[in-house]
Amino acid sequence: MSFALDALILATACTHVLLAPYTKVEESFNLHAVHDVLMYGVSPSSLSSYDHFVFPGAVPRTFIGSILLAWISKPAIYVAGSFGFVPSKFELQVIVRLVLASINALGLCLIRHGVSRRFGRPTGLYFTLITCTQFHIPFWMGRTLPNMLALFPVNLAAYLLVDRAPNTLKPSQRSITSSIALLVFSAVVFRAELAAFAGALILQYLYLGHLTLRRALTIGTMSTLASIALTVSVDSYLWGQPYLWPEYQSIYFNVVEGKSADWGTSPAHSYLTAHLPKLLLSALPLSLFAVFSSAPKRLISLIFPSAVLVGAMSAIGHKEWRFVVYVIPIWNVVAARGMSAMVSQRKSSLIGRVLFLGACSAILANLGATVLLTLAAMRNYPGGEAMAILNTLANANNTVNAAVNAHIGNLALQTGASLFTHVHAPPYPPFLASANASWVYDKTDNPDSAAYAKYTHVVGESAVPPAAGGGAFGFMSRKGGWTELGKVEAFERWVVDVKGKGEGEGEEGIGLVERVKGVVRMEERTRLWVLEKDLKS
């Protein structure tokens, strides 16, 4: 059973990667850093080819997670390449994401083992079911957000806190030291908001008498200095800037200067009323049931650090779910305790049967919501799909086999057109043969008309460009010899048809399955067009 549950967590994570293999712009820095480390290496002579010097972003980000992920992925990449499973560079992106998903799945498996040891095997089972039927952690744990690179050390720290015998009142000193060091490292290197999590954990240990003030200061100081030394050394070298601490620059830019507000602000209650319910789904009511029905003292120590993190992030105007995503596994542990309490009630009583039905309904509700969210997410990467059309169909209809010079528009870049989708342009891994013709994938923002005139293909947001003489796109008039290679539709919204007729409205003899499908249906809208200049003449 233990192996099956671990396999289920791993399979769930990898399935989400395969269902939605493309990426969004917020993943691009780390993904492109992995690409550059894999393709160019980290020698001084190779750094000038790195993408971050052309597209640096608002603030520098650390390379540490990207370098580690690239190096860990290399064995899997070369094994897959030796067996012919890597026909293009895009498969490298999938492999890297599968490796990251597997690493984060390992962290969840460790937590499950700790939960089974401390609270019993049934609770470990319920933790697995709750986690695998949620959407955000399984879907995002294979994506190269800084938060997902920090997720494994955070989950490893959570495992060290949970993993102890049922009758043990406190974790070992070794577990305390390691968990604090991991959280401090994650805060210094990856995500500064984890400082609130680490600080709350230290205060809790001090209050409970598990840790002395002197030892807390020693662990915190040594971990902080070692982490700063590591990130400054690595990132100063790769960014070409002396004494660079990326996460400090992020704090200064977003918090001190308040620039995060440029991306929008939300009310203080947003995490409690919007983000956490979406992240936790049925784990939220299950957690509340656990706190009020079982021994709360065993759970408060798990809840307190995550509650402090949520409270601290609520004080900042700009709010995103990923800033508090680390609390999900911990709250899932609490929710699993609640589900265990519900299922363990005597089934001979009405209350026992109702609670058992509620526990089953919670998992089904999770699963239903996750199916809808996953289906929508699969159709939310038009840039990646447009690049697949471009890479497959470009020059297929032209008698003149000219070199492809394609302009990739802003929306495409934001929704899947990563460097790994530049499959016909160097660099190439050693086991992958280079293309006969080297394509140009131009990501220039708002190029002028002279630049546009040189493009042979365009991935853009317009089906019918302006007429000749009407601006930068004037040369692209359909009368001037441009054809449509394809267009990409993407998710727009879910529509609920209470009548359940859907597209078959008014028709007689509609079957039950068709009626059910018509109750909730996905609406899509065309987002991108792939255009090709006619070179036949």
Side-chain angles (χ1 to χ4, degrees):
M1 175 64 77
S2 179
F3 175 79
L5 294 179
D6 290 344
L8 178 61
I9 293 174
L10 177 62
T12 301
C14 293
T15 298
H16 278 286
V17 172
L18 297 176
L19 289 176
Y22 300 113
T23 58
K24 286 287 183 71
V25 64
E26 54 265 34
E27 307 163 56
S28 61
F29 171 77
N30 285 299
L31 185 68
H32 290 174
V34 171
H35 170 277
D36 293 341
V37 172
L38 288 174
M39 298 298 178
Y40 302 114
V42 293
S43 64
S45 61
S46 65
L47 298 185
S48 60
S49 302
Y50 274 38
D51 182 72
H52 70 285
F53 288 117
V54 181
F55 302 96
V59 291
R61 307 302 310 187
T62 182
F63 272 85
I64 291 176
S66 303
I67 292 174
L68 292 175
L69 180 58
W71 287 349
I72 295 171
S73 300
K74 275 189 174 182
I77 289 172
Y78 281 103
V79 169
S82 63
F83 284 97
F85 295 145
V86 186
S88 72
K89 286 197 293 186
F90 176 67
E91 281 68 31
L92 301 183
Q93 174 174 306
V94 177
I95 293 173
V96 167
R97 289 192 53 212
L98 287 172
V99 169
L100 178 59
S102 300
I103 293 171
N104 282 324
L106 174 61
L108 294 174
C109 291
L110 289 173
I111 293 178
R112 187 200 66 77
H113 282 269
V115 169
S116 297
R117 183 185 178 196
R118 184 176 178 185
F119 299 113
R121 291 183 179 180
T123 305
L125 168 64
Y126 304 140
F127 170 82
T128 302
L129 294 178
I130 292 169
T131 300
C132 291
T133 56
Q134 288 173 331
F135 172 74
H136 281 84
I137 283 286
F139 183 82
W140 285 91
M141 63 197 285
R143 298 185 172 275
T144 53
L145 291 172
N147 314 77
M148 295 300 113
L149 296 176
L151 187 62
F152 177 73
V154 173
N155 283 345
L156 186 56
Y159 159 73
L160 293 172
L161 301 179
V162 173
D163 184 43
R164 59 180 187 263
N167 57 349
T168 303
L169 297 180
K170 63 179 182 179
S172 66
Q173 287 299 307
R174 183 177 180 180
S175 295
I176 291 174
T177 301
S178 299
S179 60
I180 293 174
L182 285 167
L183 291 174
V184 170
F185 167 78
S186 301
V188 170
V189 174
F190 293 120
R191 294 298 308 183
E193 65 264 15
L194 286 167
F197 196 97
L201 187 65
I202 293 173
L203 290 176
Q204 177 174 275
Y205 283 150
L206 291 172
Y207 174 77
L208 295 175
H210 298 167
L211 188 66
T212 64
L213 179 60
R214 180 178 179 180
R215 184 170 177 79
L217 291 174
T218 301
I219 298 171
T221 302
M222 292 181 63
S223 302
T224 300
L225 292 178
S227 301
I228 292 175
L230 175 63
T231 186
V232 169
S233 300
V234 172
D235 294 306
S236 296
Y237 168 71
L238 288 164
W239 281 94
Q241 301 179 28
Y243 309 111
L244 175 65
W245 178 8
E247 204 54 28
Y248 170 78
Q249 297 230 357
S250 176
I251 297 171
Y252 190 84
F253 179 84
N254 289 306
V255 180
V256 178
E257 294 184 337
K259 296 295 186 180
S260 63
D262 295 345
W263 281 267
T265 59
S266 303
H269 58 77
S270 294
Y271 283 121
L272 295 177
T273 58
H275 295 295
L276 284 177
K278 180 175 64 175
L279 291 170
L280 294 169
L281 298 178
S282 65
L284 182 58
L286 288 172
S287 300
L288 297 176
F289 181 85
V291 171
F292 291 107
S293 65
S294 59
K297 290 184 179 180
R298 302 182 69 187
L299 303 177
I300 294 301
S301 61
L302 295 175
I303 296 173
F304 177 72
S306 60
V308 171
L309 172 62
V310 173
M313 297 311 297
S314 296
I316 298 176
H318 180 63
K319 297 175 179 63
E320 295 184 35
W321 64 265
R322 58 192 178 96
F323 299 158
V324 297
V325 69
Y326 325 99
V327 309
I328 297 179
I330 294 296
W331 280 88
N332 284 351
V333 174
V334 180
R337 286 288 295 164
M339 179 170 285
S340 179
M342 295 171 70
V343 173
S344 62
Q345 298 293 320
R346 294 177 57 186
K347 308 303 183 295
S348 57
S349 66
L350 177 61
I351 294 178
R353 291 194 293 269
V354 170
L355 290 176
F356 180 79
L357 181 61
C360 296
S361 299
I363 296 299
L364 292 176
N366 264 14
L367 189 60
T370 297
V371 167
L372 293 178
L373 290 169
T374 302
L375 289 174
M378 291 168 59
R379 301 293 300 149
N380 206 24
Y381 295 86
E385 296 183 36
M387 292 298 289
I389 294 173
L390 174 69
N391 289 326
T392 303
L393 300 180
N395 278 349
N397 299 320
N398 280 327
T399 56
V400 180
N401 190 22
V404 171
N405 185 359
H407 179 258
I408 314 300
N410 186 50
L411 179 61
L413 293 174
Q414 293 184 24
T415 58
S418 71
L419 290 179
F420 285 104
T421 63
H422 298 186
V423 298
H424 298 298
Y428 299 97
F431 54 82
L432 194 62
S434 60
N436 293 328
S438 179
W439 292 13
V440 174
Y441 298 87
D442 193 325
K443 300 189 292 182
T444 304
D445 189 22
N446 296 321
D448 57 25
S449 57
Y452 267 115
K454 300 177 182 178
Y455 295 137
T456 60
H457 296 79
V458 171
V459 179
E461 302 165 40
S462 175
V464 182
F473 283 89
F475 78 97
M476 292 174 56
S477 170
R478 292 297 180 87
K479 295 180 181 180
W482 286 83
T483 59
E484 181 182 295
L485 289 182
K487 58 185 179 181
V488 180
E489 293 185 343
F491 173 77
E492 179 71 12
R493 61 177 178 172
W494 286 107
V495 176
V496 179
D497 181 3
V498 294
K499 297 181 180 180
K501 292 181 180 180
E503 297 180 356
E505 187 174 355
E507 297 180 5
E508 297 294 335
I510 299 177
L512 177 61
V513 175
E514 287 74 14
R515 289 183 182 275
V516 172
K517 288 182 178 179
V519 173
V520 180
R521 67 181 187 274
M522 182 189 299
E523 281 193 357
E524 297 181 314
R525 182 162 65 92
T526 304
R527 300 283 187 173
L528 291 173
W529 285 261
V530 183
L531 305 177
E532 179 179 72
K533 184 184 291 184
D534 187 1
L535 300 177
K536 292 181 180 180
S537 58

